[in-house]
Amino acid sequence: ERGRPEEARKMPRTINSSRVVKIPKGVTVTVNARIVKVEGPRGKLQRNFKHLNVQIEKKQSEVEVSVWFGNRKHIACVRTVASHIQNMITGVTKGYEYKMRFVYAHFPVNFTIDDSATKVEIRNFLGEKVVRVVPMLEGVTITRTKEIKDEVVLVGNDIDLVSQSAANIQQSCLVKNKDIRKFLDGIYVSQKGILGN
């Protein structure tokens, strides 16, 4: 409408937007100045949400994430924070696993895991002589699958660190200066989810 000020034409702000995350038995959650600590049977996890202007409160057996008078982007942060907290709770109770498979046409990939299961060495990728060394991120262990040939499993409590470790392995084996539609060699994530599911 003509003549009306810009403010009057805007959508009204949502007064309060909130989400609740249930805390299961055997898990303790502490919230202090937007730093969330979660402790469970598999270990501890901590995450800092100080960069987001949201309110995080612990009430008995649940954590409430809320925003007052937020705009659209601001309200989107509520679900993001709630999802992060839920992932932390799942991590310390069940854990996460990512399965990766080796793909090669001619040169078999030589994949070595060190004794501590926290570092891998990749040799003979596309017949190259260079040794690719990829360290696992903190709290992530990697093992070979006995039943399936050319498969490894990454296990950890923090979904971000497990998925990033898998990405680091995949990114270390990129095909350069060739047609990637023809050269499909690499190490790819074949399955991911909660440990044991």
Side-chain angles (χ1 to χ4, degrees), residues 94-132:
K94 299 173 184 173
Y96 290 98
E97 74 172 350
Y98 272 57
K99 292 182 179 178
M100 301 188 84
R101 296 289 292 269
F102 310 156
V103 177
Y104 51 83
H106 188 272
F107 296 103
V109 176
N110 184 327
F111 196 90
T112 315
I113 301 169
D114 79 337
D115 296 334
S116 62
T118 56
K119 192 172 76 174
V120 299
E121 290 181 358
I122 302 157
R123 291 181 174 83
N124 201 37
F125 175 70
L126 288 180
E128 293 172 8
K129 294 276 184 246
V130 66
V131 178
R132 294 164 164 82

PDB file of all heavy atoms in Angstrom, residues 94-132:
ATOM      1  N   LYS A  94      24.148 -43.880  22.486  1.00  0.00           N
ATOM      2  CA  LYS A  94      24.244 -44.951  21.479  1.00  0.00           C
ATOM      3  C   LYS A  94      25.503 -44.864  20.628  1.00  0.00           C
ATOM      4  O   LYS A  94      26.105 -45.873  20.287  1.00  0.00           O
ATOM      5  CB  LYS A  94      23.013 -44.916  20.560  1.00  0.00           C
ATOM      6  CG  LYS A  94      21.707 -45.149  21.321  1.00  0.00           C
ATOM      7  CD  LYS A  94      20.519 -44.932  20.416  1.00  0.00           C
ATOM      8  CE  LYS A  94      19.212 -45.073  21.193  1.00  0.00           C
ATOM      9  NZ  LYS A  94      18.054 -44.698  20.378  1.00  0.00           N
ATOM     10  N   GLY A  95      25.898 -43.641  20.234  1.00  0.00           N
ATOM     11  CA  GLY A  95      27.079 -43.475  19.373  1.00  0.00           C
ATOM     12  C   GLY A  95      26.694 -43.476  17.903  1.00  0.00           C
ATOM     13  O   GLY A  95      25.584 -43.865  17.530  1.00  0.00           O
ATOM     14  N   TYR A  96      27.635 -43.044  17.063  1.00  0.00           N
ATOM     15  CA  TYR A  96      27.397 -42.964  15.615  1.00  0.00           C
ATOM     16  C   TYR A  96      28.423 -43.802  14.856  1.00  0.00           C
ATOM     17  O   TYR A  96      29.564 -43.942  15.306  1.00  0.00           O
ATOM     18  CB  TYR A  96      27.491 -41.512  15.135  1.00  0.00           C
ATOM     19  CG  TYR A  96      26.348 -40.653  15.623  1.00  0.00           C
ATOM     20  CD1 TYR A  96      26.488 -39.847  16.738  1.00  0.00           C
ATOM     21  CD2 TYR A  96      25.122 -40.668  14.970  1.00  0.00           C
ATOM     22  CE1 TYR A  96      25.432 -39.067  17.186  1.00  0.00           C
ATOM     23  CE2 TYR A  96      24.064 -39.893  15.405  1.00  0.00           C
ATOM     24  CZ  TYR A  96      24.221 -39.095  16.509  1.00  0.00           C
ATOM     25  OH  TYR A  96      23.181 -38.329  16.959  1.00  0.00           O
ATOM     26  N   GLU A  97      27.991 -44.353  13.731  1.00  0.00           N
ATOM     27  CA  GLU A  97      28.939 -45.083  12.876  1.00  0.00           C
ATOM     28  C   GLU A  97      28.728 -44.710  11.409  1.00  0.00           C
ATOM     29  O   GLU A  97      27.607 -44.507  10.964  1.00  0.00           O
ATOM     30  CB  GLU A  97      28.825 -46.597  13.075  1.00  0.00           C
ATOM     31  CG  GLU A  97      27.609 -47.251  12.481  1.00  0.00           C
ATOM     32  CD  GLU A  97      27.654 -48.778  12.539  1.00  0.00           C
ATOM     33  OE1 GLU A  97      28.710 -49.341  12.877  1.00  0.00           O
ATOM     34  OE2 GLU A  97      26.613 -49.385  12.240  1.00  0.00           O
ATOM     35  N   TYR A  98      29.855 -44.600  10.700  1.00  0.00           N
ATOM     36  CA  TYR A  98      29.854 -44.340   9.257  1.00  0.00           C
ATOM     37  C   TYR A  98      30.619 -45.477   8.593  1.00  0.00           C
ATOM     38  O   TYR A  98      31.739 -45.777   9.000  1.00  0.00           O
ATOM     39  CB  TYR A  98      30.558 -43.009   8.958  1.00  0.00           C
ATOM     40  CG  TYR A  98      29.661 -41.792   8.998  1.00  0.00           C
ATOM     41  CD1 TYR A  98      28.929 -41.479  10.133  1.00  0.00           C
ATOM     42  CD2 TYR A  98      29.535 -40.953   7.897  1.00  0.00           C
ATOM     43  CE1 TYR A  98      28.102 -40.358  10.177  1.00  0.00           C
ATOM     44  CE2 TYR A  98      28.722 -39.827   7.926  1.00  0.00           C
ATOM     45  CZ  TYR A  98      28.006 -39.546   9.060  1.00  0.00           C
ATOM     46  OH  TYR A  98      27.191 -38.441   9.091  1.00  0.00           O
ATOM     47  N   LYS A  99      30.003 -46.101   7.587  1.00  0.00           N
ATOM     48  CA  LYS A  99      30.679 -47.176   6.851  1.00  0.00           C
ATOM     49  C   LYS A  99      31.166 -46.627   5.514  1.00  0.00           C
ATOM     50  O   LYS A  99      30.437 -45.907   4.833  1.00  0.00           O
ATOM     51  CB  LYS A  99      29.723 -48.354   6.617  1.00  0.00           C
ATOM     52  CG  LYS A  99      29.367 -49.069   7.904  1.00  0.00           C
ATOM     53  CD  LYS A  99      28.471 -50.268   7.666  1.00  0.00           C
ATOM     54  CE  LYS A  99      28.160 -50.965   8.979  1.00  0.00           C
ATOM     55  NZ  LYS A  99      27.257 -52.108   8.806  1.00  0.00           N
ATOM     56  N   MET A 100      32.397 -46.985   5.155  1.00  0.00           N
ATOM     57  CA  MET A 100      32.981 -46.516   3.894  1.00  0.00           C
ATOM     58  C   MET A 100      33.468 -47.697   3.067  1.00  0.00           C
ATOM     59  O   MET A 100      33.992 -48.672   3.625  1.00  0.00           O
ATOM     60  CB  MET A 100      34.150 -45.560   4.164  1.00  0.00           C
ATOM     61  CG  MET A 100      33.775 -44.340   4.968  1.00  0.00           C
ATOM     62  SD  MET A 100      35.122 -43.140   5.079  1.00  0.00           S
ATOM     63  CE  MET A 100      34.919 -42.248   3.541  1.00  0.00           C
ATOM     64  N   ARG A 101      33.293 -47.610   1.748  1.00  0.00           N
ATOM     65  CA  ARG A 101      33.742 -48.676   0.841  1.00  0.00           C
ATOM     66  C   ARG A 101      34.797 -48.144  -0.120  1.00  0.00           C
ATOM     67  O   ARG A 101      34.762 -46.986  -0.522  1.00  0.00           O
ATOM     68  CB  ARG A 101      32.554 -49.196   0.014  1.00  0.00           C
ATOM     69  CG  ARG A 101      31.462 -49.868   0.819  1.00  0.00           C
ATOM     70  CD  ARG A 101      31.840 -51.213   1.400  1.00  0.00           C
ATOM     71  NE  ARG A 101      32.020 -52.236   0.393  1.00  0.00           N
ATOM     72  CZ  ARG A 101      31.031 -53.039  -0.034  1.00  0.00           C
ATOM     73  NH1 ARG A 101      29.810 -52.903   0.443  1.00  0.00           N
ATOM     74  NH2 ARG A 101      31.272 -53.961  -0.926  1.00  0.00           N
ATOM     75  N   PHE A 102      35.749 -49.030  -0.484  1.00  0.00           N
ATOM     76  CA  PHE A 102      36.779 -48.658  -1.465  1.00  0.00           C
ATOM     77  C   PHE A 102      36.255 -49.008  -2.851  1.00  0.00           C
ATOM     78  O   PHE A 102      35.760 -50.109  -3.075  1.00  0.00           O
ATOM     79  CB  PHE A 102      38.079 -49.444  -1.232  1.00  0.00           C
ATOM     80  CG  PHE A 102      38.572 -49.426   0.197  1.00  0.00           C
ATOM     81  CD1 PHE A 102      39.402 -50.435   0.668  1.00  0.00           C
ATOM     82  CD2 PHE A 102      38.215 -48.422   1.072  1.00  0.00           C
ATOM     83  CE1 PHE A 102      39.859 -50.433   1.976  1.00  0.00           C
ATOM     84  CE2 PHE A 102      38.665 -48.401   2.383  1.00  0.00           C
ATOM     85  CZ  PHE A 102      39.483 -49.412   2.838  1.00  0.00           C
ATOM     86  N   VAL A 103      36.421 -48.075  -3.774  1.00  0.00           N
ATOM     87  CA  VAL A 103      36.016 -48.307  -5.166  1.00  0.00           C
ATOM     88  C   VAL A 103      37.258 -48.173  -6.039  1.00  0.00           C
ATOM     89  O   VAL A 103      37.960 -47.165  -5.960  1.00  0.00           O
ATOM     90  CB  VAL A 103      34.944 -47.279  -5.606  1.00  0.00           C
ATOM     91  CG1 VAL A 103      34.590 -47.474  -7.071  1.00  0.00           C
ATOM     92  CG2 VAL A 103      33.713 -47.377  -4.728  1.00  0.00           C
ATOM     93  N   TYR A 104      37.552 -49.228  -6.815  1.00  0.00           N
ATOM     94  CA  TYR A 104      38.690 -49.134  -7.737  1.00  0.00           C
ATOM     95  C   TYR A 104      38.454 -50.060  -8.925  1.00  0.00           C
ATOM     96  O   TYR A 104      37.785 -51.084  -8.824  1.00  0.00           O
ATOM     97  CB  TYR A 104      40.013 -49.492  -7.031  1.00  0.00           C
ATOM     98  CG  TYR A 104      40.005 -50.798  -6.274  1.00  0.00           C
ATOM     99  CD1 TYR A 104      40.223 -52.003  -6.927  1.00  0.00           C
ATOM    100  CD2 TYR A 104      39.784 -50.822  -4.896  1.00  0.00           C
ATOM    101  CE1 TYR A 104      40.223 -53.202  -6.232  1.00  0.00           C
ATOM    102  CE2 TYR A 104      39.777 -52.009  -4.197  1.00  0.00           C
ATOM    103  CZ  TYR A 104      39.999 -53.206  -4.872  1.00  0.00           C
ATOM    104  OH  TYR A 104      39.978 -54.396  -4.180  1.00  0.00           O
ATOM    105  N   ALA A 105      38.983 -49.651 -10.088  1.00  0.00           N
ATOM    106  CA  ALA A 105      38.803 -50.419 -11.323  1.00  0.00           C
ATOM    107  C   ALA A 105      40.013 -51.305 -11.590  1.00  0.00           C
ATOM    108  O   ALA A 105      39.875 -52.463 -11.964  1.00  0.00           O
ATOM    109  CB  ALA A 105      38.584 -49.464 -12.488  1.00  0.00           C
ATOM    110  N   HIS A 106      41.225 -50.759 -11.375  1.00  0.00           N
ATOM    111  CA  HIS A 106      42.429 -51.500 -11.743  1.00  0.00           C
ATOM    112  C   HIS A 106      43.412 -51.625 -10.593  1.00  0.00           C
ATOM    113  O   HIS A 106      43.816 -52.719 -10.227  1.00  0.00           O
ATOM    114  CB  HIS A 106      43.107 -50.815 -12.946  1.00  0.00           C
ATOM    115  CG  HIS A 106      44.228 -51.617 -13.509  1.00  0.00           C
ATOM    116  ND1 HIS A 106      45.522 -51.517 -13.033  1.00  0.00           N
ATOM    117  CD2 HIS A 106      44.260 -52.556 -14.485  1.00  0.00           C
ATOM    118  CE1 HIS A 106      46.296 -52.360 -13.703  1.00  0.00           C
ATOM    119  NE2 HIS A 106      45.562 -52.998 -14.590  1.00  0.00           N
ATOM    120  N   PHE A 107      43.770 -50.493  -9.986  1.00  0.00           N
ATOM    121  CA  PHE A 107      44.762 -50.512  -8.905  1.00  0.00           C
ATOM    122  C   PHE A 107      44.066 -50.695  -7.552  1.00  0.00           C
ATOM    123  O   PHE A 107      43.338 -49.803  -7.122  1.00  0.00           O
ATOM    124  CB  PHE A 107      45.562 -49.190  -8.889  1.00  0.00           C
ATOM    125  CG  PHE A 107      46.382 -48.979 -10.132  1.00  0.00           C
ATOM    126  CD1 PHE A 107      45.958 -48.104 -11.119  1.00  0.00           C
ATOM    127  CD2 PHE A 107      47.579 -49.666 -10.305  1.00  0.00           C
ATOM    128  CE1 PHE A 107      46.710 -47.905 -12.268  1.00  0.00           C
ATOM    129  CE2 PHE A 107      48.349 -49.474 -11.451  1.00  0.00           C
ATOM    130  CZ  PHE A 107      47.917 -48.596 -12.427  1.00  0.00           C
ATOM    131  N   PRO A 108      44.278 -51.844  -6.888  1.00  0.00           N
ATOM    132  CA  PRO A 108      43.628 -52.035  -5.588  1.00  0.00           C
ATOM    133  C   PRO A 108      44.192 -51.072  -4.546  1.00  0.00           C
ATOM    134  O   PRO A 108      45.398 -50.886  -4.452  1.00  0.00           O
ATOM    135  CB  PRO A 108      43.933 -53.491  -5.220  1.00  0.00           C
ATOM    136  CG  PRO A 108      44.985 -53.940  -6.150  1.00  0.00           C
ATOM    137  CD  PRO A 108      45.073 -52.995  -7.293  1.00  0.00           C
ATOM    138  N   VAL A 109      43.292 -50.446  -3.772  1.00  0.00           N
ATOM    139  CA  VAL A 109      43.699 -49.475  -2.751  1.00  0.00           C
ATOM    140  C   VAL A 109      44.267 -50.231  -1.554  1.00  0.00           C
ATOM    141  O   VAL A 109      43.645 -51.157  -1.039  1.00  0.00           O
ATOM    142  CB  VAL A 109      42.502 -48.600  -2.322  1.00  0.00           C
ATOM    143  CG1 VAL A 109      42.894 -47.656  -1.194  1.00  0.00           C
ATOM    144  CG2 VAL A 109      41.959 -47.809  -3.506  1.00  0.00           C
ATOM    145  N   ASN A 110      45.469 -49.835  -1.124  1.00  0.00           N
ATOM    146  CA  ASN A 110      46.085 -50.444   0.069  1.00  0.00           C
ATOM    147  C   ASN A 110      45.799 -49.514   1.248  1.00  0.00           C
ATOM    148  O   ASN A 110      46.293 -48.393   1.310  1.00  0.00           O
ATOM    149  CB  ASN A 110      47.596 -50.584  -0.173  1.00  0.00           C
ATOM    150  CG  ASN A 110      48.284 -51.294   0.975  1.00  0.00           C
ATOM    151  OD1 ASN A 110      47.888 -51.161   2.124  1.00  0.00           O
ATOM    152  ND2 ASN A 110      49.329 -52.032   0.659  1.00  0.00           N
ATOM    153  N   PHE A 111      44.980 -49.990   2.183  1.00  0.00           N
ATOM    154  CA  PHE A 111      44.492 -49.158   3.290  1.00  0.00           C
ATOM    155  C   PHE A 111      45.030 -49.730   4.603  1.00  0.00           C
ATOM    156  O   PHE A 111      44.718 -50.858   4.966  1.00  0.00           O
ATOM    157  CB  PHE A 111      42.953 -49.198   3.283  1.00  0.00           C
ATOM    158  CG  PHE A 111      42.294 -48.127   4.102  1.00  0.00           C
ATOM    159  CD1 PHE A 111      41.960 -46.901   3.553  1.00  0.00           C
ATOM    160  CD2 PHE A 111      41.968 -48.347   5.437  1.00  0.00           C
ATOM    161  CE1 PHE A 111      41.326 -45.926   4.299  1.00  0.00           C
ATOM    162  CE2 PHE A 111      41.332 -47.375   6.192  1.00  0.00           C
ATOM    163  CZ  PHE A 111      41.006 -46.163   5.619  1.00  0.00           C
ATOM    164  N   THR A 112      45.854 -48.956   5.312  1.00  0.00           N
ATOM    165  CA  THR A 112      46.468 -49.425   6.558  1.00  0.00           C
ATOM    166  C   THR A 112      45.971 -48.583   7.728  1.00  0.00           C
ATOM    167  O   THR A 112      46.005 -47.348   7.663  1.00  0.00           O
ATOM    168  CB  THR A 112      48.004 -49.311   6.485  1.00  0.00           C
ATOM    169  OG1 THR A 112      48.443 -49.806   5.223  1.00  0.00           O
ATOM    170  CG2 THR A 112      48.664 -50.098   7.598  1.00  0.00           C
ATOM    171  N   ILE A 113      45.532 -49.271   8.786  1.00  0.00           N
ATOM    172  CA  ILE A 113      45.097 -48.582  10.006  1.00  0.00           C
ATOM    173  C   ILE A 113      46.170 -48.797  11.069  1.00  0.00           C
ATOM    174  O   ILE A 113      46.628 -49.928  11.267  1.00  0.00           O
ATOM    175  CB  ILE A 113      43.739 -49.146  10.499  1.00  0.00           C
ATOM    176  CG1 ILE A 113      42.672 -48.977   9.409  1.00  0.00           C
ATOM    177  CG2 ILE A 113      43.299 -48.461  11.791  1.00  0.00           C
ATOM    178  CD1 ILE A 113      41.385 -49.723   9.664  1.00  0.00           C
ATOM    179  N   ASP A 114      46.591 -47.729  11.760  1.00  0.00           N
ATOM    180  CA  ASP A 114      47.637 -47.887  12.779  1.00  0.00           C
ATOM    181  C   ASP A 114      47.077 -48.574  14.032  1.00  0.00           C
ATOM    182  O   ASP A 114      45.869 -48.759  14.170  1.00  0.00           O
ATOM    183  CB  ASP A 114      48.305 -46.537  13.105  1.00  0.00           C
ATOM    184  CG  ASP A 114      47.474 -45.666  14.030  1.00  0.00           C
ATOM    185  OD1 ASP A 114      46.243 -45.870  14.080  1.00  0.00           O
ATOM    186  OD2 ASP A 114      48.042 -44.775  14.685  1.00  0.00           O
ATOM    187  N   ASP A 115      47.957 -48.957  14.951  1.00  0.00           N
ATOM    188  CA  ASP A 115      47.572 -49.763  16.116  1.00  0.00           C
ATOM    189  C   ASP A 115      46.547 -49.068  17.009  1.00  0.00           C
ATOM    190  O   ASP A 115      45.701 -49.714  17.623  1.00  0.00           O
ATOM    191  CB  ASP A 115      48.822 -50.117  16.960  1.00  0.00           C
ATOM    192  CG  ASP A 115      49.789 -50.988  16.171  1.00  0.00           C
ATOM    193  OD1 ASP A 115      49.316 -51.694  15.258  1.00  0.00           O
ATOM    194  OD2 ASP A 115      51.006 -50.944  16.439  1.00  0.00           O
ATOM    195  N   SER A 116      46.608 -47.741  17.095  1.00  0.00           N
ATOM    196  CA  SER A 116      45.674 -47.020  17.967  1.00  0.00           C
ATOM    197  C   SER A 116      44.311 -46.779  17.295  1.00  0.00           C
ATOM    198  O   SER A 116      43.405 -46.235  17.917  1.00  0.00           O
ATOM    199  CB  SER A 116      46.284 -45.683  18.389  1.00  0.00           C
ATOM    200  OG  SER A 116      46.511 -44.878  17.241  1.00  0.00           O
ATOM    201  N   ALA A 117      44.169 -47.172  16.034  1.00  0.00           N
ATOM    202  CA  ALA A 117      42.932 -47.011  15.239  1.00  0.00           C
ATOM    203  C   ALA A 117      42.524 -45.543  15.102  1.00  0.00           C
ATOM    204  O   ALA A 117      41.353 -45.218  14.982  1.00  0.00           O
ATOM    205  CB  ALA A 117      41.790 -47.833  15.841  1.00  0.00           C
ATOM    206  N   THR A 118      43.526 -44.638  15.133  1.00  0.00           N
ATOM    207  CA  THR A 118      43.231 -43.203  15.027  1.00  0.00           C
ATOM    208  C   THR A 118      43.914 -42.549  13.828  1.00  0.00           C
ATOM    209  O   THR A 118      43.867 -41.336  13.679  1.00  0.00           O
ATOM    210  CB  THR A 118      43.661 -42.461  16.310  1.00  0.00           C
ATOM    211  OG1 THR A 118      45.046 -42.711  16.538  1.00  0.00           O
ATOM    212  CG2 THR A 118      42.849 -42.911  17.513  1.00  0.00           C
ATOM    213  N   LYS A 119      44.565 -43.358  12.986  1.00  0.00           N
ATOM    214  CA  LYS A 119      45.250 -42.807  11.810  1.00  0.00           C
ATOM    215  C   LYS A 119      45.230 -43.843  10.694  1.00  0.00           C
ATOM    216  O   LYS A 119      45.360 -45.037  10.961  1.00  0.00           O
ATOM    217  CB  LYS A 119      46.698 -42.451  12.179  1.00  0.00           C
ATOM    218  CG  LYS A 119      47.401 -41.614  11.123  1.00  0.00           C
ATOM    219  CD  LYS A 119      48.747 -41.117  11.610  1.00  0.00           C
ATOM    220  CE  LYS A 119      49.791 -42.213  11.597  1.00  0.00           C
ATOM    221  NZ  LYS A 119      51.133 -41.739  11.924  1.00  0.00           N
ATOM    222  N   VAL A 120      45.062 -43.391   9.461  1.00  0.00           N
ATOM    223  CA  VAL A 120      45.065 -44.320   8.323  1.00  0.00           C
ATOM    224  C   VAL A 120      46.086 -43.868   7.286  1.00  0.00           C
ATOM    225  O   VAL A 120      46.379 -42.673   7.157  1.00  0.00           O
ATOM    226  CB  VAL A 120      43.664 -44.441   7.673  1.00  0.00           C
ATOM    227  CG1 VAL A 120      42.648 -44.976   8.651  1.00  0.00           C
ATOM    228  CG2 VAL A 120      43.194 -43.128   7.088  1.00  0.00           C
ATOM    229  N   GLU A 121      46.624 -44.864   6.556  1.00  0.00           N
ATOM    230  CA  GLU A 121      47.533 -44.590   5.444  1.00  0.00           C
ATOM    231  C   GLU A 121      46.967 -45.244   4.190  1.00  0.00           C
ATOM    232  O   GLU A 121      46.620 -46.432   4.214  1.00  0.00           O
ATOM    233  CB  GLU A 121      48.933 -45.139   5.752  1.00  0.00           C
ATOM    234  CG  GLU A 121      49.650 -44.368   6.854  1.00  0.00           C
ATOM    235  CD  GLU A 121      51.047 -44.905   7.133  1.00  0.00           C
ATOM    236  OE1 GLU A 121      51.435 -45.911   6.493  1.00  0.00           O
ATOM    237  OE2 GLU A 121      51.730 -44.331   7.984  1.00  0.00           O
ATOM    238  N   ILE A 122      46.862 -44.458   3.134  1.00  0.00           N
ATOM    239  CA  ILE A 122      46.287 -44.956   1.876  1.00  0.00           C
ATOM    240  C   ILE A 122      47.401 -44.989   0.835  1.00  0.00           C
ATOM    241  O   ILE A 122      48.034 -43.964   0.557  1.00  0.00           O
ATOM    242  CB  ILE A 122      45.122 -44.056   1.417  1.00  0.00           C
ATOM    243  CG1 ILE A 122      44.042 -43.998   2.502  1.00  0.00           C
ATOM    244  CG2 ILE A 122      44.531 -44.562   0.112  1.00  0.00           C
ATOM    245  CD1 ILE A 122      43.146 -42.795   2.439  1.00  0.00           C
ATOM    246  N   ARG A 123      47.632 -46.192   0.277  1.00  0.00           N
ATOM    247  CA  ARG A 123      48.687 -46.363  -0.736  1.00  0.00           C
ATOM    248  C   ARG A 123      48.101 -46.918  -2.024  1.00  0.00           C
ATOM    249  O   ARG A 123      47.033 -47.533  -2.008  1.00  0.00           O
ATOM    250  CB  ARG A 123      49.760 -47.350  -0.238  1.00  0.00           C
ATOM    251  CG  ARG A 123      50.605 -46.810   0.906  1.00  0.00           C
ATOM    252  CD  ARG A 123      51.661 -47.845   1.309  1.00  0.00           C
ATOM    253  NE  ARG A 123      52.580 -47.301   2.297  1.00  0.00           N
ATOM    254  CZ  ARG A 123      52.332 -47.251   3.605  1.00  0.00           C
ATOM    255  NH1 ARG A 123      51.183 -47.716   4.070  1.00  0.00           N
ATOM    256  NH2 ARG A 123      53.210 -46.739   4.445  1.00  0.00           N
ATOM    257  N   ASN A 124      48.821 -46.725  -3.119  1.00  0.00           N
ATOM    258  CA  ASN A 124      48.488 -47.286  -4.440  1.00  0.00           C
ATOM    259  C   ASN A 124      47.150 -46.800  -4.981  1.00  0.00           C
ATOM    260  O   ASN A 124      46.513 -47.490  -5.760  1.00  0.00           O
ATOM    261  CB  ASN A 124      48.515 -48.827  -4.386  1.00  0.00           C
ATOM    262  CG  ASN A 124      48.695 -49.434  -5.765  1.00  0.00           C
ATOM    263  OD1 ASN A 124      49.418 -48.916  -6.600  1.00  0.00           O
ATOM    264  ND2 ASN A 124      48.003 -50.528  -6.020  1.00  0.00           N
ATOM    265  N   PHE A 125      46.700 -45.613  -4.574  1.00  0.00           N
ATOM    266  CA  PHE A 125      45.468 -45.055  -5.145  1.00  0.00           C
ATOM    267  C   PHE A 125      45.763 -44.621  -6.580  1.00  0.00           C
ATOM    268  O   PHE A 125      46.647 -43.793  -6.814  1.00  0.00           O
ATOM    269  CB  PHE A 125      44.977 -43.868  -4.299  1.00  0.00           C
ATOM    270  CG  PHE A 125      43.789 -43.168  -4.890  1.00  0.00           C
ATOM    271  CD1 PHE A 125      42.554 -43.789  -4.917  1.00  0.00           C
ATOM    272  CD2 PHE A 125      43.901 -41.893  -5.435  1.00  0.00           C
ATOM    273  CE1 PHE A 125      41.444 -43.155  -5.452  1.00  0.00           C
ATOM    274  CE2 PHE A 125      42.806 -41.253  -5.986  1.00  0.00           C
ATOM    275  CZ  PHE A 125      41.576 -41.885  -5.997  1.00  0.00           C
ATOM    276  N   LEU A 126      45.071 -45.208  -7.533  1.00  0.00           N
ATOM    277  CA  LEU A 126      45.298 -44.999  -8.974  1.00  0.00           C
ATOM    278  C   LEU A 126      46.751 -45.288  -9.368  1.00  0.00           C
ATOM    279  O   LEU A 126      47.282 -44.728 -10.314  1.00  0.00           O
ATOM    280  CB  LEU A 126      44.932 -43.562  -9.390  1.00  0.00           C
ATOM    281  CG  LEU A 126      43.444 -43.219  -9.429  1.00  0.00           C
ATOM    282  CD1 LEU A 126      43.246 -41.774  -9.847  1.00  0.00           C
ATOM    283  CD2 LEU A 126      42.688 -44.120 -10.380  1.00  0.00           C
ATOM    284  N   GLY A 127      47.414 -46.160  -8.589  1.00  0.00           N
ATOM    285  CA  GLY A 127      48.794 -46.529  -8.871  1.00  0.00           C
ATOM    286  C   GLY A 127      49.809 -45.469  -8.484  1.00  0.00           C
ATOM    287  O   GLY A 127      50.989 -45.574  -8.815  1.00  0.00           O
ATOM    288  N   GLU A 128      49.356 -44.438  -7.750  1.00  0.00           N
ATOM    289  CA  GLU A 128      50.282 -43.361  -7.365  1.00  0.00           C
ATOM    290  C   GLU A 128      51.213 -43.826  -6.244  1.00  0.00           C
ATOM    291  O   GLU A 128      50.833 -44.630  -5.397  1.00  0.00           O
ATOM    292  CB  GLU A 128      49.482 -42.126  -6.897  1.00  0.00           C
ATOM    293  CG  GLU A 128      48.683 -41.467  -8.006  1.00  0.00           C
ATOM    294  CD  GLU A 128      47.753 -40.372  -7.504  1.00  0.00           C
ATOM    295  OE1 GLU A 128      47.843 -40.024  -6.313  1.00  0.00           O
ATOM    296  OE2 GLU A 128      46.942 -39.875  -8.302  1.00  0.00           O
ATOM    297  N   LYS A 129      52.421 -43.289  -6.247  1.00  0.00           N
ATOM    298  CA  LYS A 129      53.411 -43.676  -5.230  1.00  0.00           C
ATOM    299  C   LYS A 129      53.215 -42.928  -3.905  1.00  0.00           C
ATOM    300  O   LYS A 129      53.662 -43.364  -2.863  1.00  0.00           O
ATOM    301  CB  LYS A 129      54.831 -43.375  -5.743  1.00  0.00           C
ATOM    302  CG  LYS A 129      55.249 -44.222  -6.930  1.00  0.00           C
ATOM    303  CD  LYS A 129      55.800 -45.562  -6.474  1.00  0.00           C
ATOM    304  CE  LYS A 129      56.307 -46.380  -7.655  1.00  0.00           C
ATOM    305  NZ  LYS A 129      55.509 -47.584  -7.855  1.00  0.00           N
ATOM    306  N   VAL A 130      52.529 -41.777  -3.949  1.00  0.00           N
ATOM    307  CA  VAL A 130      52.383 -40.943  -2.753  1.00  0.00           C
ATOM    308  C   VAL A 130      51.557 -41.680  -1.679  1.00  0.00           C
ATOM    309  O   VAL A 130      50.584 -42.366  -1.988  1.00  0.00           O
ATOM    310  CB  VAL A 130      51.748 -39.578  -3.115  1.00  0.00           C
ATOM    311  CG1 VAL A 130      50.313 -39.728  -3.611  1.00  0.00           C
ATOM    312  CG2 VAL A 130      51.770 -38.647  -1.934  1.00  0.00           C
ATOM    313  N   VAL A 131      51.996 -41.530  -0.414  1.00  0.00           N
ATOM    314  CA  VAL A 131      51.277 -42.140   0.713  1.00  0.00           C
ATOM    315  C   VAL A 131      50.401 -41.061   1.338  1.00  0.00           C
ATOM    316  O   VAL A 131      50.885 -40.029   1.796  1.00  0.00           O
ATOM    317  CB  VAL A 131      52.263 -42.705   1.768  1.00  0.00           C
ATOM    318  CG1 VAL A 131      51.508 -43.279   2.953  1.00  0.00           C
ATOM    319  CG2 VAL A 131      53.170 -43.745   1.145  1.00  0.00           C
ATOM    320  N   ARG A 132      49.104 -41.319   1.340  1.00  0.00           N
ATOM    321  CA  ARG A 132      48.165 -40.359   1.934  1.00  0.00           C
ATOM    322  C   ARG A 132      47.930 -40.741   3.397  1.00  0.00           C
ATOM    323  O   ARG A 132      47.464 -41.846   3.679  1.00  0.00           O
ATOM    324  CB  ARG A 132      46.840 -40.389   1.185  1.00  0.00           C
ATOM    325  CG  ARG A 132      46.950 -39.885  -0.244  1.00  0.00           C
ATOM    326  CD  ARG A 132      45.721 -40.304  -1.038  1.00  0.00           C
ATOM    327  NE  ARG A 132      45.581 -39.548  -2.281  1.00  0.00           N
ATOM    328  CZ  ARG A 132      46.223 -39.834  -3.395  1.00  0.00           C
ATOM    329  NH1 ARG A 132      47.074 -40.852  -3.429  1.00  0.00           N
ATOM    330  NH2 ARG A 132      46.039 -39.105  -4.488  1.00  0.00           N
TER     331      ARG A 132
END
